[in-house]
Amino acid sequence: MAHKITLIPGDGIGPEVTQATVRILEATGLKFEWETFAAGAEAFEKYKEYIPKELTESIERTRVGLKGPVTTPIGGGFSSINVELRKRFELFANFRPIRNLPHIPTRYSDVDLIIVRENTEGLYSGIEHEVVPGVVESLKIITEKASTRISRFAFEYARKNKRKKIHCIHKANIMKMSDGLFLRCSRNVSKEYPEITYGEHIVDNTCMQLVMNPYQYDILLLENLYGDIVSDLCAGLVGGLGLVPGANFGHECAIFEAVHGSAPDIAGKNIANPTALLRSALLMLRHIGEADAAWKIRSAIDHVYRDRSKLTRDVGGSAGTAEFADAIIQAMELPNSVAAQKV
Ligand code: NAI
C-alpha cells in the first residue's frame, strides 16, 4: 500500500532538495502517493492564498507532511508560512537531532544533542503593533498549557530513548514572568522523571557553553525564539545548515522539514545540499513505521560521506545536488554488508 504524504517543495532551494529527497525515498522500493502543493508567494500567485485550502485539507487527510523551506519576506509582507503551519496544525514540538556525519571536519566529533523547541507561541505569536509613531510593541506569549506540553514531550522522549539529561534554556533573570513561567512548568514536569537529570541555563551562557563544550548537554528544552537561534548555532557545530534535520510534531499530524531556510544565495544552481531534508525524511520514515527503509538510506548517507567523492560544496565537495542524490541511490544498491562495513 502506498504511503500518502503531503509534499510542500517550498521555494528557493526547496524544489531542488525536495526533488533529490523524493528520488531517494522512491529508490527504497516503498510506494508513495505524493499530494504536492505550493505555499507562500508561489501559492498566492496561483490561488490568492498563502496556504491554499487544498493544502490544509491534504494535511488533515494524510497527517504527514514533508516540507521544503518557504521564504518569509523580511521587515514587512506576509507572515511566515512555516510559523502559520505549525500553529494551524498545533505542531507544538519542534524536534532537531544534532549529530556529526562521518568525515566532515568539525571542531567536535561525536556530538549528539537533541533540541526540543516550543513551536506555537513565544515571540512567534506575531502580535505586533505600533503604539504611537516610533514605538512598536511585540508581545511574547507564554502559557502554562504550551510550556507544560513541550516539557512533557521532552521528558517523555528522554525516558523512551534512555537519554540522561535535560537542560531548560531560558532568560528568566530578565523576562521574569514569561520565561519564569516556562521555567516553572519544565521544573514541575521534571519532578515526574527522577531518573533524568534536570538543569537550567540562561540562554546567552548556553551559547558560549555549546561552543566551548557541547558534550555537557544532552537534550535542550527551549521556548520558540531561543530554540530557533540555538538550532543554527548547533548546526554550525556539526558541519552547517545543509546537514541538520527537523520534525514538527503535534497530536494529530507531523511535518518534517530541515532546519535551514530557502537559501536564496544558492537557489537554482544545483549546489544545495539535500542531506538535511533527506535526514528529515528519515525521521518521517520512522514515524510512518518504515524503519528498515530509513536504515537503508542512513547507511547509504554514511557511505557517501565516508567516500567523499560526491559531496556538495558546503561540506567541501564539488558535486551538484542531483549528483549527490545519484550517489546515495547507488550506495543503496550495494549489498547491505558492504554498506555496513564502510559505515
Ligand atoms: P538559510 O538557512 O536559508 O541560509 C543560511 C546560509 O546557509 C546561507 O548561506 C545558505 O546558502 C546556507 N544553506 C542553507 N541551507 C543550505 C543547504 N541545504 N545547502 C547548502 N547551504 C545551505 O537562512 P536565511 O538566509 O536566513 O533565510 C532565507 C529565507 O529562508 C528567509 O526568507 C527565511 O525566513 C526562510 N526560512 C525558512 C525556513 C523554513 O521554511 N522552515 C527556516 C529558516 C528560514
Side-chain angles (χ1 to χ4, degrees):
M1 208 183 66
H3 292 286
K4 286 194 172 127
I5 311 277
T6 304
L7 185 68
I8 307 166
D11 51 41
I13 60 170
E16 298 162 69
V17 293
T18 305
Q19 195 191 30
T21 300
V22 165
R23 272 207 298 129
I24 295 165
L25 287 171
E26 291 186 339
T28 60
L30 292 176
K31 295 271 170 284
F32 295 95
E33 219 173 278
W34 305 105
E35 299 190 5
T36 307
F37 296 95
E42 193 194 341
F44 194 78
E45 266 179 34
K46 277 195 209 150
Y47 305 100
K48 298 288 167 252
E49 276 182 304
Y50 291 108
I51 302 180
K53 185 163 64 61
E54 291 80 358
L55 165 54
T56 305
E57 287 167 358
S58 170
I59 294 176
E60 280 164 1
R61 210 171 32 246
T62 65
R63 293 168 182 249
V64 183
L66 180 64
K67 176 183 164 298
V70 178
T71 302
T72 309
I74 293 172
F78 60 88
S79 312
S80 166
I81 299 309
N82 313 306
V83 172
E84 178 52 33
L85 283 173
R86 293 166 193 167
K87 281 198 228 160
R88 190 171 292 189
F89 294 104
E90 279 215 76
L91 302 170
F92 63 89
N94 189 200
F95 173 83
R96 294 171 161 179
I98 311 285
R99 297 191 181 106
N100 296 89
L101 280 169
H103 291 277
I104 297 300
T106 51
R107 180 176 285 269
Y108 301 102
S109 54
D110 300 323
V111 173
D112 182 7
L113 289 167
I114 304 286
I115 290 186
V116 176
R117 162 187 175 193
E118 203 293 318
N119 228 3
T120 59
E121 54 181 32
L123 275 167
Y124 287 66
S125 304
I127 307 172
E128 291 190 317
H129 64 118
E130 192 175 55
V131 183
V132 290
V135 181
V136 165
E137 199 170 54
S138 186
L139 297 185
K140 172 164 172 164
I141 308 294
I142 299 285
T143 64
E144 187 178 333
K145 182 179 165 218
S147 306
T148 302
R149 180 171 65 175
I150 193 65
S151 301
R152 198 167 295 291
F153 177 93
F155 278 93
E156 277 299 309
Y157 175 83
R159 178 171 277 172
K160 281 198 194 108
N161 293 278
K162 308 222 172 331
R163 306 289 297 213
K164 304 249 171 317
K165 261 190 288 188
I166 295 186
H167 278 86
C168 180
I169 308 305
H170 65 92
K171 190 78 187 174
N173 50 331
I174 305 297
M175 278 158 281
K176 294 177 193 295
M177 289 190 74
S178 53
D179 281 22
L181 176 58
F182 189 80
L183 199 54
R184 269 201 311 286
C185 293
S186 82
R187 210 177 274 166
N188 281 342
V189 172
S190 76
K191 292 181 189 140
E192 297 169 33
Y193 300 81
E195 77 278 20
I196 296 158
T197 307
Y198 173 71
E200 296 170 353
H201 278 175
I202 293 176
V203 62
D204 36 354
N205 174 35
T206 304
C207 292
M208 187 273 292
Q209 298 288 347
L210 277 165
V211 173
M212 300 283 287
N213 174 19
Y215 304 120
Q216 65 186 294
Y217 295 114
D218 184 4
I219 295 179
L220 299 173
L221 167 62
L222 312 97
E223 62 84 84
N224 212 338
L225 177 65
Y226 310 147
D228 193 0
I229 295 169
V230 171
S231 292
D232 276 35
L233 187 156
C234 287
L237 292 176
V238 295
L241 281 165
L243 303 178
V244 179
N248 303 288
F249 292 112
H251 290 307
E252 301 294 326
C253 51
I255 296 183
F256 298 83
E257 64 178 339
V259 171
H260 66 72
S262 55
D265 52 334
I266 57 167
K269 298 180 179 163
N270 186 38
I271 56 174
N273 189 346
T275 305
L277 186 63
L278 182 58
R279 287 172 109 189
S280 310
L282 300 193
L283 297 174
M284 180 188 83
L285 287 178
R286 292 192 190 103
H287 179 74
I288 61 174
E290 296 290 0
D292 287 350
W295 179 245
K296 192 170 167 185
I297 299 176
R298 164 76 210 281
S299 301
I301 294 174
D302 283 348
H303 176 75
V304 169
Y305 273 88
R306 264 179 210 284
D307 174 67
R308 290 198 64 78
S309 66
K310 296 286 187 240
L311 297 183
T312 48
R313 288 196 334 191
D314 56 311
V315 285
S318 57
T321 311
E323 213 182 329
F324 171 84
D326 291 340
I328 297 279
I329 292 167
Q330 269 171 26
M332 277 161 53
E333 284 158 10
L334 290 172
N336 260 348
S337 54
V338 177
Q341 250 175 36
K342 299 194 174 180
V343 165

